[in-house]
Amino acid sequence: MITREDIENIALLSKLFVDEKDIDGLTEEMQKIVAFADTINSVEVKSGEFDNINNLQNAFRADEVKESLPVEEILKNAPEQAEDHFLVRKRA
Amino acid sequence: MKYELVAGFETHVELQTNTKIFCSCTTKFGGDPNTHCCPVCIGLPGTLPKLNERVVEYAIMAGLATNCEIAEIAKMDRKNYCYPDLPKAYQISQYDKPLCEHGYIQLSNGRKIRILRIHIEEDAGKLIHNHGDTYVDYNRGGVPLIEIVTEPDFRSIDEAKEYVEKLQQTMRYIGISDCRMQEGSMRCDVNISVRPEGSEKLGTRTEIKNMNSITNIAKAMDYEYERQVDLIESGGEVVQETLRYDDATGTTSSMRSKEDAHDYRYFREPDLVTINVPRERVKEIQARLPELPEKKYARYTEEYGIPEKDAAQLTKYRSISEYFDKASEGLKSPKTASNFIIGQIFRRLETEADKEALDIKTSAEQLGELCKLLESGKLKNNLAKKALDQMLDSGKPVTEFVSESDMAGLDDATLTEYCNNAINAMKNAVEDYKSGKEKALMAVLGNVMKQSRGRADAPSVIKKLKELIG
Ligand SMILES: [Zn+2]
């Protein structure tokens, strides 16, 4: 059973700020999500543990270099950037 | 009380593939920031990773070279943690089904360091911290790594040093990594604990990160061993934590304690399919592996009778050992070639990097040719040495520097003539010799050698001189 403390811990691990007043609501939501996962888990399956749905194996790529994107494209979605780097500001 | 050191290693080795592990960006070291990147390796939503086949092959090579079992079925997992060096907020790694398991590396003292596992994963980006702000360059993000994890089998710092050197040497031999610690293409974390000598129970361990040379590994282990012993001796307790080694002060400091240990919430990577390694594939890779340094060392010392110290030098780099193997092909005594390499050739290669690069003008075949002339007695040792220097200067074969008459040696009449000249010219030395000073004959020998311009064979000269002096 997911508790308030779990939500707080997950928020901490994912570096998310969660407002005190939202915790109860999130706990309830998370309980439903986990319950749904439990339903999936309860389904009996006979296949081996490594099987994919479509039984794919060894989808490899040859070791051949292709052109990377220009740095402007790479940084296009960066919330902040400086000197061709992604910039992560010090947290206040 | 006496304490025993117990240590284990986790070593990350960057693989020298052309492209990253899950995308076709180059793995070249350096480059302008964020120019070796694409939507896959900066973790944009909707992109799909695709595994580089060579990464699997290289990891299998590493496994075979360290006596591991190669898994038939392996898979990739997500290791979740939030840090700016990982754009996806998870690293694709292997959790419970690594590619290689249960290997070992044998040390010179006969002890085996067991290898628990070798798995493949992606490297993280590079962070540059500046006044609390962080600049992120993802060029290194997605570069393929193998992580080699040992059991806590180390009992001394010397063992640790030898292990790292051996690992480095082996990975370089099989050509999967340059293992340059300074550049970060080989990185070691060490976990250390101490226990009273004779005790079987493991003590609480700490993990040291951030060591960029074998010297620093040794220093950090030494410092941490002493710190833990002092702590226990003074009634304290070792706390399980991750430490950072500071090169400048030679000390370790805490990075994080067990309480803030990450919960990585590993789960199977749903975007990548199962890896299946057929047994024929393992055999085929095994067949292509070069002869490993240990095998070569055994062959050189046991079959060729090369001294251990020389054999160690010959096998240190694959380039040198292959040069030696080629040069000594067909020789009665491969030691002839070994002596030239370790003597005259090494004298021209000052640094370790020079030795590994082995950038010299004389080919192994040319050296072999010289050795054969020496072995057949056609060429005397001093002339051969002189010729090799000229060969190394010019890149030309031995025949350019040694004439037919040099190789023919001296006929008896000429030898007798030179000896008589010397006896007449060096009367004092001859008298000294006659009065019992054996060494005086050497001066006369020198005179003959000079006349013959090195073509005379010293033992024959001495024999002839003794005959003539009577
Ligand atoms: Zn990429």
Side-chain angles (χ1 to χ4, degrees), chain A residues 38-88:
Chain A
D38 283 342
T39 310
I40 294 174
N41 271 343
S42 69
V43 176
E44 288 261 349
V45 278
K46 284 201 191 89
S47 57
E49 64 177 309
F50 296 113
D51 288 359
N52 301 86
I53 290 175
N54 39 19
N55 256 329
L56 278 177
Q57 284 188 335
N58 294 352
F60 294 128
R61 173 176 59 77
D63 187 27
E64 285 155 18
V65 177
K66 288 184 186 150
E67 215 168 312
S68 298
L69 289 187
V71 61
E72 307 80 60
E73 287 291 315
I74 291 299
L75 292 172
K76 211 170 177 179
N77 296 297
E80 279 196 84
Q81 51 171 288
E83 294 162 44
D84 287 343
H85 288 80
F86 290 81
L87 180 60
V88 184

Side-chain angles (χ1 to χ4, degrees), chain A residues 1-57:
Chain A
M1 184 66 128
I2 299 289
T3 62
R4 270 185 73 92
E5 288 70 45
D6 289 326
I7 297 298
E8 282 166 359
N9 192 32
I10 293 166
L12 186 81
L13 285 170
S14 4
K15 303 236 163 41
L16 291 173
F17 174 76
V18 179
D19 208 310
E20 181 62 31
K21 67 176 172 26
D22 293 333
I23 295 184
D24 282 331
L26 283 169
T27 310
E28 210 174 298
E29 253 180 71
M30 194 62 91
Q31 282 168 353
K32 282 183 190 152
I33 293 167
V34 173
F36 178 65
D38 283 342
T39 310
I40 294 174
N41 271 343
S42 69
V43 176
E44 288 261 349
V45 278
K46 284 201 191 89
S47 57
E49 64 177 309
F50 296 113
D51 288 359
N52 301 86
I53 290 175
N54 39 19
N55 256 329
L56 278 177
Q57 284 188 335

Side-chain angles (χ1 to χ4, degrees), chain B residues 147-440:
Chain B
E147 181 174 340
I148 304 158
V149 184
T150 76
E151 299 279 1
D153 284 348
F154 296 91
R155 295 293 175 269
S156 73
I157 293 170
D158 280 341
E159 287 183 349
K161 277 157 74 177
E162 190 187 339
Y163 167 79
V164 178
E165 276 166 11
K166 272 216 155 142
L167 197 62
Q168 222 169 16
Q169 185 193 33
T170 306
M171 297 303 137
R172 284 180 183 158
Y173 255 75
I174 60 177
I176 66 168
S177 175
D178 58 13
C179 290
R180 291 189 209 279
M181 294 191 82
Q182 305 285 350
E183 285 179 13
S185 61
M186 182 174 185
R187 315 193 281 265
C188 294
D189 301 337
V190 189
N191 52 68
I192 295 187
S193 63
V194 298
R195 63 184 176 194
E197 222 161 61
S199 160
E200 286 296 308
K201 205 171 142 261
L202 291 173
T204 306
R205 63 174 204 184
T206 57
E207 188 180 14
I208 318 174
K209 290 187 179 285
N210 196 33
M211 293 164 296
N212 61 2
S213 70
I214 294 179
T215 318
N216 279 350
I217 291 174
K219 279 199 228 159
M221 288 178 77
D222 190 42
Y223 177 85
E224 186 55 17
Y225 169 78
E226 296 291 341
R227 189 189 72 87
Q228 291 189 14
V229 169
D230 287 350
L231 201 60
I232 295 168
E233 292 272 271
S234 61
E237 251 178 55
V238 176
V239 183
Q240 188 176 336
E241 60 186 342
T242 305
L243 304 166
R244 177 192 292 111
Y245 177 68
D246 183 351
D247 189 14
T249 60
T251 59
T252 58
S253 60
S254 186
M255 272 171 84
R256 56 175 183 260
S257 72
K258 193 189 174 188
E259 279 76 57
D260 351 296
H262 292 295
D263 172 2
Y264 292 123
R265 294 168 294 140
Y266 278 100
F267 63 87
R268 182 175 181 162
E269 168 56 67
D271 288 339
L272 288 163
V273 301
T274 304
I275 303 165
N276 182 334
V277 189
R279 298 300 88 180
E280 307 84 73
R281 175 94 175 114
V282 178
K283 272 189 209 143
E284 178 228 316
I285 293 172
Q286 175 92 62
R288 277 192 287 117
L289 275 190
E291 188 182 28
L292 294 174
E294 269 158 66
K295 277 242 171 91
K296 282 192 189 284
Y297 181 87
R299 183 158 58 87
Y300 296 171
T301 51
E302 288 159 26
E303 281 178 43
Y304 298 169
I306 288 174
E308 287 180 3
K309 210 175 135 228
D310 292 357
Q313 290 203 65
L314 289 176
T315 53
K316 187 159 185 191
Y317 303 111
R318 184 175 166 185
S319 52
I320 305 239
S321 65
E322 287 184 343
Y323 186 89
F324 166 70
D325 281 340
K326 222 181 262 171
S328 60
E329 242 168 62
L331 292 186
K332 272 180 248 137
S333 166
K335 216 168 156 238
T336 315
S338 161
N339 289 343
F340 280 128
I341 292 171
I342 288 168
Q344 265 168 288
I345 293 182
F346 274 12
R347 224 167 289 141
R348 290 168 179 249
L349 304 167
E350 280 174 29
T351 65
E352 287 299 305
D354 289 343
K355 283 187 183 136
E356 185 168 18
L358 193 60
D359 185 13
I360 52 170
K361 289 186 177 152
T362 301
S363 70
E365 288 81 359
Q366 289 174 335
L367 177 64
E369 209 185 328
L370 174 75
C371 293
K372 280 189 192 112
L373 288 176
L374 188 66
E375 278 195 346
S376 68
K378 283 188 181 156
L379 200 56
K380 301 296 171 265
N381 202 25
N382 51 342
L383 273 187
K385 277 189 180 160
K386 219 164 115 194
L388 180 56
D389 269 327
Q390 288 169 309
M391 288 162 70
L392 287 164
D393 286 339
S394 65
K396 290 180 180 157
V398 60
T399 44
E400 290 278 322
F401 308 106
V402 183
S403 66
E404 285 297 320
S405 65
D406 287 335
M407 284 192 264
L410 292 179
D411 56 70
D412 195 58
T414 318
L415 181 62
T416 311
E417 186 195 326
Y418 287 162
C419 287
N420 279 325
N421 291 344
I423 290 167
N424 288 330
M426 310 197 68
K427 292 215 163 71
N428 289 342
V430 174
E431 284 310 312
D432 285 349
Y433 171 71
K434 277 182 174 166
S435 64
K437 285 186 193 154
E438 281 277 331
K439 272 193 184 158

